Amino acid sequence: MSAESLTLNDGSAAARAEEMPLQVRSRSFTAVVLKVTGAADAGFFASLDSLMRQAPHFFVNAPLVLDLEQATDLQVKGDFVKLVRELRARRLSPIAIQNASADQGIAAFGAGLITLQGGRDVPTERRGRAAEAAPAASEPEPESEPAAASLLITEPVRSGQRIFADRGDLIVNASVSSGAELVAHGSIHIYGPMRGRALAGVNGDKSARIFCQSLEAELIAIAGLYLTSDDLGPTVRKKRVQAFLRDQTLCVEPLK
Amino acid sequence: MAKIIVVTSGKGGVGKTTSTAAIGAGLAMRGHKTVVIDFDVGLRNLDMIMGCERRVVFDFINVIQGDAKLKQALIKDRRLENLAILPTSQTRDKDALTREGVGKVLDELREDFDYIICDSPAGIERGAYLAMYYADEAVVVTNPEVSSVRDSDRVLGLLSSKTHLAEKGEGGVKSHLLLTRYDPKRVASGEMMKVEDILEILSIPLLGIIPESTAVLKASNVGTPVTFDTKSNAGKAYEDAVSRLDGEQIEMRIKPERPGLFQRLLRRTA
């Protein structure tokens, strides 16, 4: 049994705050993954209890995902119901399973667990501290380096190309063509004409910003809130601007 | 060392095959041993533009599949002894092209020729991908309109990432812009994009501007590369573009003014 973390993504649609009575956002959360080996028997719960005594804060309030890759014994709904009840009794919050067979998926669904795909490991030690400070933190977490490294692009970004800065900022020191896409967990800086799309703070970082030397973008988005070229008026079009979030609104202002 | 040049665009109908024929003939006229290869498997056209469609026996696909020797498939041009054509198959499709097969044929051609000009099919699928894969340089053919410019931009992205040179980490293929079907009158009236705007978007060096001309269609129909028509604007413009491709520094001659009635009559009968 081992504990690790993954990132959940709850949707990709975005809505603008002032127009809708509800808001749909894409946001990532960190969850703890519990690898279940063999059957969920007394031995399993004994090791779990011992682990929880060693790191009492590690699991508190964190969503729990069960990895069933090595748990072929778990097949029927009754087992999952029992497992969920035992985990909840330990103040753990199982929400989903992964690496499961189709039958396991159906059985677990009956016990109120959904099947997740994908996910990405982050260091458990850092995850532990994050759990202590703020449960279910939504900040982007650097994977290994202490400081988030930025990605520098010096060649023109052509139509159809997609540049993804999976940690920190994205800096483009060239033009970005219509039909190209820049995506970053942090801020995006463009020092050439910006004619494509720029999505900053895709992990939910509301402090992310977009800086343009000449804004001619098709779309800009920060933490799921977006504006299209139709929304960009003549005061900012083809100007040096920055885009940022202020009170749930995406603002674009000329740089002085 | 032979140079492989791909003539590509993304968008169809912009003048890739016409330009391939014109550039191939132009380089041969300058004394370089040149071969033009048709990569548009299934939509064979280069042989017609070059005027050798009746002499096709074996083709590029036969050579790739080992059914014929390269020497059997190569057609020597009757007008220029330096020029050869490697036609493609009209009955097969792009799946008949393999990366290894194309590489082998190109390596064999490198031994005998100075310039290898690859005529890419439209699109960005297999045929276009393999036409550009081994290229040292690219001529990106673009019309002065937005969709053609965007498609060219897409192709430039592929040239800098999906080619042999890019994979080796040598910075992608050196690309040149060839603006075709350029009509100064329509540019002046705002119907067509300006050269400077296109260059600003694509940010690659300009190889030449080929004016919209009746000479181009006429040359295609009789199977003569338009470079042979030294009297026409288009023929001259291709000649200049070829000289630049060959390393010469020549000034652009865009003529925004209307040609006189006498000139127009001359061109019609030329």
Side-chain angles (χ1 to χ4, degrees):
Chain A
M1 186 174 67
S2 70
E4 52 194 292
S5 302
L6 92 168
T7 301
L8 292 178
N9 219 324
D10 66 358
S12 60
R16 290 179 46 214
E18 65 276 19
E19 288 170 5
M20 304 259 283
L22 55 91
Q23 291 178 27
V24 182
R25 292 284 184 76
S26 175
R27 181 168 291 175
S28 299
F29 294 94
T30 309
V32 174
V33 172
L34 201 61
K35 276 194 180 156
V36 185
T37 355
D41 52 13
F44 167 80
F45 289 111
S47 342
L48 181 61
D49 289 338
S50 125
L51 186 74
M52 286 178 72
R53 272 194 300 278
Q54 285 166 24
H57 299 289
F58 188 80
F59 296 100
V60 176
N61 288 327
L64 192 69
V65 175
L66 303 170
D67 190 308
L68 302 184
E69 198 178 3
Q70 290 158 43
T72 40
D73 295 349
L74 274 173
Q75 289 293 348
V76 296
K77 184 184 157 188
D79 289 345
F80 283 103
V81 172
K82 185 169 159 263
L83 179 59
V84 167
R85 198 172 54 227
E86 289 286 339
L87 291 171
R88 292 229 165 101
R90 288 166 172 80
R91 292 181 57 210
L92 298 177
S93 314
I95 56 160
I97 55 166
Q98 68 170 17
N99 290 328
S101 68
D103 289 342
Q104 282 178 320
I106 295 162
F109 190 74
L113 299 173
I114 57 164
T115 302
L116 285 182
Q117 258 134 30
R120 191 162 49 86
D121 289 355
V122 296
T124 49
E125 199 219 347
R126 191 193 153 83
R127 160 78 192 100
R129 272 190 274 116
E132 278 169 28
S138 64
E139 264 89 37
E141 296 189 2
E143 285 176 86
S144 51
E145 267 94 79
S150 58
L151 178 63
L152 174 67
I153 305 289
T154 54
E155 293 288 304
V157 185
R158 305 288 184 182
S159 184
Q161 285 182 325
R162 189 167 188 270
I163 310 284
F164 181 41
D166 64 350
R167 58 178 89 168
D169 289 4
L170 174 57
I171 303 157
V172 181
N173 193 11
S175 63
V176 179
S177 294
S178 139
E181 197 168 272
L182 306 178
V183 184
H185 278 183
S187 298
I188 299 179
H189 313 252
I190 306 125
Y191 296 101
M194 170 57 198
R195 305 193 176 93
R197 296 161 160 246
L199 295 89
V202 286
N203 243 13
D205 182 2
K206 289 181 183 162
S207 66
R209 292 188 175 207
I210 298 172
F211 302 89
C212 294
Q213 202 65 24
S214 174
L215 177 72
E216 300 161 50
E218 295 168 334
L219 179 142
I220 53 170
I222 296 173
L225 287 171
Y226 68 86
L227 290 172
T228 62
S229 61
D230 284 350
D231 308 317
L232 303 171
T235 52
V236 292
R237 180 156 281 277
K238 293 201 175 186
K239 299 269 164 48
R240 290 174 62 227
V241 300
Q242 62 166 330
F244 55 96
L245 287 184
R246 183 199 287 144
D247 305 330
Q248 301 290 311
T249 313
L250 180 55
C251 305
V252 184
E253 285 180 1
L255 284 167
K256 285 174 192 86
Chain B
M1 183 62 188
K3 208 178 254 180
I4 300 179
I5 299 175
V6 60
V7 179
T8 184
S9 71
K11 197 174 185 298
V14 294
K16 282 181 296 297
T17 303
T18 305
S19 299
T20 304
I23 290 170
L27 286 168
M29 283 159 91
R30 290 175 69 86
H32 299 292
K33 289 201 77 183
T34 307
V35 59
V36 290
I37 311 179
D38 194 346
F39 273 78
D40 203 349
V41 187
L43 294 166
R44 188 179 95 189
N45 278 330
L46 184 62
D47 53 322
M48 280 201 290
I49 309 295
M50 298 293 296
C52 65
E53 73 272 19
R54 291 190 207 137
R55 295 162 61 202
V56 177
V57 181
F58 294 108
D59 58 48
F60 189 20
I61 302 302
N62 292 139
V63 179
I64 285 180
Q65 298 187 333
D67 300 331
K69 290 212 177 72
L70 186 57
K71 293 263 181 313
Q72 293 175 290
L74 277 177
I75 302 172
K76 276 205 152 216
D77 190 88
R78 285 197 172 132
R79 296 150 295 200
L80 291 168
E81 58 165 347
N82 282 333
L83 185 60
I85 301 111
L86 182 56
T88 193
S89 164
Q90 179 75 350
T91 52
R92 309 296 294 271
D93 62 31
K94 266 85 175 170
D95 294 335
L97 291 171
T98 60
R99 205 160 84 179
E100 296 68 33
V102 171
K104 245 180 90 185
V105 172
L106 290 177
D107 280 342
E108 214 177 322
L109 288 170
R110 268 183 205 272
E111 286 168 19
D112 293 335
F113 292 92
D114 304 323
Y115 280 100
I116 301 165
I117 316 291
C118 303
D119 180 24
S120 169
I124 50 173
E125 278 77 39
R126 193 178 184 83
Y129 163 69
L130 288 173
M132 71 169 71
Y133 185 76
Y134 292 101
D136 301 308
E137 292 187 27
V139 173
V140 178
V141 183
T142 307
N143 288 168
E145 48 106 4
V146 284
S147 59
S148 175
V149 171
R150 177 187 276 191
D151 290 359
S152 295
D153 194 55
R154 180 86 169 92
V155 162
L156 285 167
L158 298 175
L159 283 165
S160 62
S161 61
K162 294 283 164 84
T163 51
H164 185 58
L165 284 183
E167 284 174 10
K168 276 204 299 184
E170 289 179 15
V173 177
K174 186 179 165 198
S175 304
H176 312 266
L177 175 66
L178 185 66
L179 213 52
T180 54
R181 312 199 68 166
Y182 184 85
D183 187 336
K185 271 180 289 167
R186 296 183 70 189
V187 173
S189 67
E191 285 173 60
M192 271 187 177
M193 286 177 79
K194 281 190 247 161
V195 178
E196 55 184 304
D197 291 345
I198 299 167
L199 285 173
E200 216 248 319
I201 291 174
L202 297 179
S203 46
I204 52 168
L206 182 62
L207 185 67
I209 301 172
I210 313 299
E212 175 83 6
S213 164
T214 49
V216 175
L217 183 64
K218 209 182 69 185
S220 297
N221 284 338
V222 298
T224 324
V226 70
T227 331
F228 287 135
D229 189 353
T230 47
K231 286 201 190 83
S232 74
N233 280 352
K236 282 181 199 147
Y238 270 117
E239 204 184 308
D240 286 358
V242 169
S243 308
R244 290 184 199 108
L245 194 62
D246 205 18
E248 264 183 59
Q249 298 279 335
I250 295 178
E251 239 179 90
M252 291 288 159
R253 44 174 148 183
I254 324 167
K255 291 198 180 106
E257 77 277 355
R258 245 178 106 94
L261 179 67
F262 185 63
Q263 272 179 302
R264 274 193 287 160
L265 282 174
L266 255 184
R267 206 179 310 151
R268 205 166 291 164
T269 51

